Amino acid sequence: MDFWEGEFLGPRWAHTDYEDRRHPAFHFFVGFVALAVGLAMYFLPALQRYLPLPALFYLCTSLVLLIALPFAAARYHGLPRLAKILVLLAYALMYLSSWCFVLKSLIGEKSGSSASGLVMQIGELANNLMANLAGFFSFLGGLSATLAGVVAGAILLALLGIVILVLAIYVPLLYFFLLKKLQRLWDSFILKRFYPDRLSA
């Protein structure tokens, strides 16, 4: 469980070298999943029933766990295995509740009309782009210009989509990074305030 201990407990409480390693694939995957869930709930409003509670509930849950978990982490290595797993699950719940708060706040109770409007706007953008490119390749004449415009437009849209997707994945990653930094700062405060003897250990 070294990976999860390092990921959730951090350097203040975990006896691992997790912080000295890089885990880009795992963090990229987390960002992708978080983004995918958000987009699914935006474009498929029926999925919002899986977040039935108000945003304030998810915020309070994450804050309570953020405040309380360092005290459990301080005793982590003296706990039985099952209790350790429960502590790690509580950390996971903190991040999950925090992201649920973000989704609930941003998406709210949308009916799906705004999502449909966004799809239409993207479709219009694609049509306009391909029409302009067809005009750019007009020197090819007739059908060749149209085909060149469609191909060039498809390539540009694909590249643009990839860039937007990668940037969008980093939005939840940045949020989790800031939450983790807040957690680490709180850990440091708890360590200095309640467990100063461990600073010299």
Side-chain angles (χ1 to χ4, degrees):
M1 297 192 297
D2 284 355
F3 175 84
W4 298 112
E5 290 173 359
E7 177 69 26
F8 291 134
L9 300 181
R12 300 296 184 185
W13 315 114
H15 298 164
T16 71
D17 59 348
Y18 177 87
E19 295 289 333
D20 298 326
R21 304 175 186 173
R22 298 293 181 182
H23 305 275
F26 171 74
H27 293 139
F28 192 84
F29 175 75
V30 169
F32 175 80
V33 171
L35 174 65
V37 170
L39 291 177
M41 289 190 171
Y42 182 77
F43 287 104
L44 301 172
L47 295 177
Q48 294 176 23
R49 68 178 184 272
Y50 294 110
L51 292 179
L53 300 172
L56 184 60
F57 172 84
Y58 299 109
L59 175 61
C60 291
T61 299
S62 60
L63 287 177
V64 168
L65 290 172
L66 176 68
I67 293 171
L69 280 174
F71 296 99
R75 298 168 174 79
Y76 179 85
H77 293 285
L79 297 174
R81 184 175 181 83
L82 178 59
K84 289 181 178 180
I85 293 175
L86 292 177
V87 170
L88 295 178
L89 288 175
Y91 271 100
L93 179 61
M94 179 188 72
Y95 284 96
L96 179 61
S97 297
S98 179
W99 187 240
C100 287
F101 163 72
V102 173
L103 294 180
K104 195 74 173 181
S105 300
L106 294 180
I107 298 176
E109 301 295 339
K110 296 189 180 298
S111 63
S113 58
S114 58
S116 300
L118 179 61
V119 172
M120 292 179 62
Q121 290 177 359
I122 294 174
E124 291 178 3
L125 173 64
N127 289 332
N128 292 335
L129 177 62
M130 291 181 181
N132 291 332
L133 287 173
F136 177 79
F137 290 108
S138 59
F139 63 90
L140 297 176
L143 182 60
S144 297
T146 302
L147 290 175
V150 170
V151 172
I155 293 174
L156 287 176
L157 286 173
L159 292 175
L160 180 61
I162 292 172
V163 171
I164 292 175
L165 177 62
V166 171
L167 292 177
I169 287 174
Y170 277 95
V171 171
L173 277 183
L174 177 61
Y175 175 78
F176 290 137
F177 173 79
L178 294 176
L179 179 59
K180 182 179 288 188
K181 287 299 181 183
L182 178 61
Q183 175 196 336
R184 300 295 191 254
L185 288 173
W186 180 244
D187 287 344
S188 298
F189 172 79
I190 295 298
L191 185 64
K192 293 176 182 178
R193 178 66 177 80
F194 296 99
Y195 308 98
D197 55 306
R198 297 193 182 186
L199 292 174
S200 58

